Structure formats: structure tokens, C-alpha cells
């Protein structure tokens, strides 16, 4: 907590000085504003702290310049819509994969933060994060993805990601995550934070695990193929002449073998390993 308070205090002080010189706020009011900010920190009301700091930021004609990287144009628009609720967030450009991002950054380096998907063609989010962090270390990167498996979290953090959020995040939590990251924090969904702590306590050698053979039964492969078509359990059961309960059991076994947590992850990993 003390680290976060110090970061917010430094940012707030910097903004107060800037505003004082620009005429937006007189020096006599600085103590009063900081006093209000301090009480919100004591109460752990960091959402309100972020609002105060970035309201000041907005008045000083400063905005957060953001890029979205996702190969799904529909999801790009969904994220952009979430950002549009906040005047101090400005979407500068979108990219469809890591190589596209690098080309656009060459032309426009004035980016504060990137919202990065993981699974993309040509250059995925983890590879792109590593490259961007080596070239532009000042740019913050938040992974914004549907994948919450340990391997992706570990590899993203290792590549230099500053935060990790799931795409289901609501606009307010996304905004607070962006602000927290820019203030030196690490934005994470509670479930991601818990997984990260577990990884720190019990490190896993993911490189060694990738070399292991994933062995699925013929029936499990058939179920996976049906899943990849977007079919629900009942339809899969009818197509394969199984009961829905048996299909659920097969899917449970598939998740365990692939070490995934949902249908999307299972299909993606199966394709990556040429299982379907």
C-alpha cells in the first residue's frame, strides 16, 4: 500500500505544480486538494484517487494515448467502445498483430499504453511485448485477453507486460487498470493476481512441459472437433451418440490433459499442437 501511496503522491504533486504554473489551480488551493486526496488514500478509495488525479490531468491538456492490438476487428471495436466512456483516454490507432504494431509505432511513437491480445497471427502478443519493451521501454503494456492459463500469464510477465486483464473486464475496471498501470502499479483481475502469486510460490518450467506429448483418445479428439465448430454439449452428444453427461466427462478430461480452463483455450491449444 505504501508504495502505491508514494506513486500517487508523486504523480499528484507533479500535476499540482503543473496546474499551478499554468493557472488552472492557485498554489493556495494545493494543500486543500492534497488533503482530500490523502483521506481517500487512507480509506483505500483508490478509484476516487484515480479520478482526482486524472481530472487534474485532463485540465492540464494531458491525455492517455492508447493503442489496441487484436486480430479480431469486432473485439477491437468492443474495447474501443469501453475506452470511449472516458475523455482522458485517446485511442491513437489499432493493429492486427505484433508486426503491424511495430510498423505503426515507427510512424507514431507517441503512445503511453498498449492493450495487447495474446493469440494473433504472424507475431503474437507475448512476442510483440518482448520486442516493444526492448525498443520502447517507456510504453506500458497491458495484456487484454481471454486466456487465463498459467503459461500465458507466466510468459507475458516474463516478456515485460505491466498488467494482465481479461477481455470480460467492465469499462470502469479497465479504466482503473490503465490508470493504475500508468501510476506504476500492475493491473490484474483478482483471479489473475491469485494465479500469479501461486506461480511465484510454486514456479513451473513451462519450456519443459511444452516438450511433453499430449495424448488424447480418439473419442476425445472427436469431441474437440465438435467443440471447435461451436456446438453445445447436447448437439455434440446427439452427433456422437453419447449422453450429455459423457460429453461433459470427456471435456473435463480434455481440459485436464491440455491444462486449460475453457473451450476457447482447449480448441486453440489443440490446433497449435495439431490435435485437430
Amino acid at each position: 500500500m505504501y508504495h502505491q501511496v508514494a506513486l500517487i503522491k508523486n504523480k499528484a504533486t507533479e500535476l499540482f505544480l503543473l496546474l499551478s504554473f499554468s493557472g488552472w489551480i492557485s498554489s493556495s488551493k494545493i494543500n486543500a486538494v492534497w488533503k482530500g486526496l490523502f483521506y481517500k488514500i487512507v480509506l483505500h478509495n483508490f478509484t476516487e484517487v484515480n479520478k482526482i488525479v486524472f481530472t487534474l490531468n485532463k485540465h492540464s491538456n494531458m491525455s492517455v494515448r492508447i493503442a489496441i492490438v487484436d486480430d479480431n476487428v469486432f473485439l477491437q471495436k468492443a474495447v474501443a467502445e469501453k475506452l470511449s466512456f472516458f475523455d482522458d483516454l485517446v485511442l491513437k490507432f489499432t493493429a492486427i498483430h505484433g508486426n503491424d504494431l511495430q510498423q505503426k509505432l515507427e510512424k507514431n511513437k507517441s503512445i503511453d499504453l498498449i492493450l495487447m491480445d495474446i493469440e494473433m497471427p504472424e507475431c503474437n502478443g507475448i512476442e510483440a511485448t518482448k520486442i516493444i519493451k526492448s525498443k520502447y521501454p517507456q510504453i506500458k503494456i497491458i495484456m487484454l485477453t481471454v486466456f487465463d492459463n498459467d503459461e500465458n500469464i507466466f510468459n507475458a510477465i516474463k516478456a515485460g507486460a505491466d498488467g494482465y486483464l481479461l477481455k470480460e473486464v467492465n469499462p470502469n475496471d479497465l479504466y482503473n487498470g490503465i490508470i493504475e498501470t500508468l501510476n506504476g502499479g500492475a493491473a490484474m483481475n483478482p483471479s489473475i493476481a491469485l494465479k500469479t502469486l501461486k506461480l511465484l510460490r510454486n514456479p513451473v518450467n513451462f519450456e519443459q512441459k511444452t516438450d511433453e506429448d499430449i495424448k488424447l483418445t480418439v473419442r476425445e479428439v472427436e469431441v474437440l472437433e465438435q467443440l471447435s465448430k461451436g456446438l453445445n454439449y447436447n448437439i455434440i452428444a446427439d452427433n456422437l451418440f453419447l449422453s450429455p453427461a459423457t460429453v461433459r466427462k470427456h471435456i473435463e478430461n480434455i481440459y485436464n490433459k491440455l491444462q486449460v480452463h475453457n473451450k476457447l483455450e482447449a480448441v486453440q491449444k489443440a490446433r497449435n499442437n495439431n490435435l485437430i
Side-chain angles (χ1 to χ4, degrees), residues 8-18 34:
I8 292 172
K9 183 176 179 180
N10 289 340
K11 185 65 178 176
T13 304
E14 174 192 333
L15 288 168
F16 291 153
L17 291 172
L18 178 63
W34 170 246

Side-chain angles (χ1 to χ4, degrees), residues 9-75:
K9 183 176 179 180
N10 289 340
K11 185 65 178 176
T13 304
E14 174 192 333
L15 288 168
F16 291 153
L17 291 172
L18 178 63
L19 293 174
S20 180
F21 284 116
S22 67
W24 276 99
I25 184 171
S26 66
S27 55
S28 61
K29 291 181 182 177
I30 289 178
N31 285 338
V33 177
W34 170 246
K35 187 177 179 183
L37 194 63
F38 177 77
Y39 282 125
K40 286 180 170 57
I41 290 171
V42 170
L43 294 171
H44 290 208
N45 196 341
F46 291 109
T47 300
E48 289 301 314
V49 169
N50 283 336
K51 284 180 183 175
I52 291 174
V53 172
F54 275 82
T55 298
L56 293 173
N57 203 343
K58 182 171 63 176
H59 284 305
S60 63
N61 295 320
M62 295 167 66
S63 56
V64 181
R65 299 159 298 184
I66 294 176
I68 298 171
V69 189
D70 198 310
D71 61 326
N72 187 318
V73 177
F74 173 78
L75 292 177

Side-chain angles (χ1 to χ4, degrees), residues 63-91:
S63 56
V64 181
R65 299 159 298 184
I66 294 176
I68 298 171
V69 189
D70 198 310
D71 61 326
N72 187 318
V73 177
F74 173 78
L75 292 177
Q76 280 185 11
K77 289 177 180 175
V79 175
E81 189 177 347
K82 291 178 183 180
L83 300 179
S84 69
F85 287 101
F86 308 97
D87 294 336
D88 49 342
L89 304 183
V90 177
L91 178 60

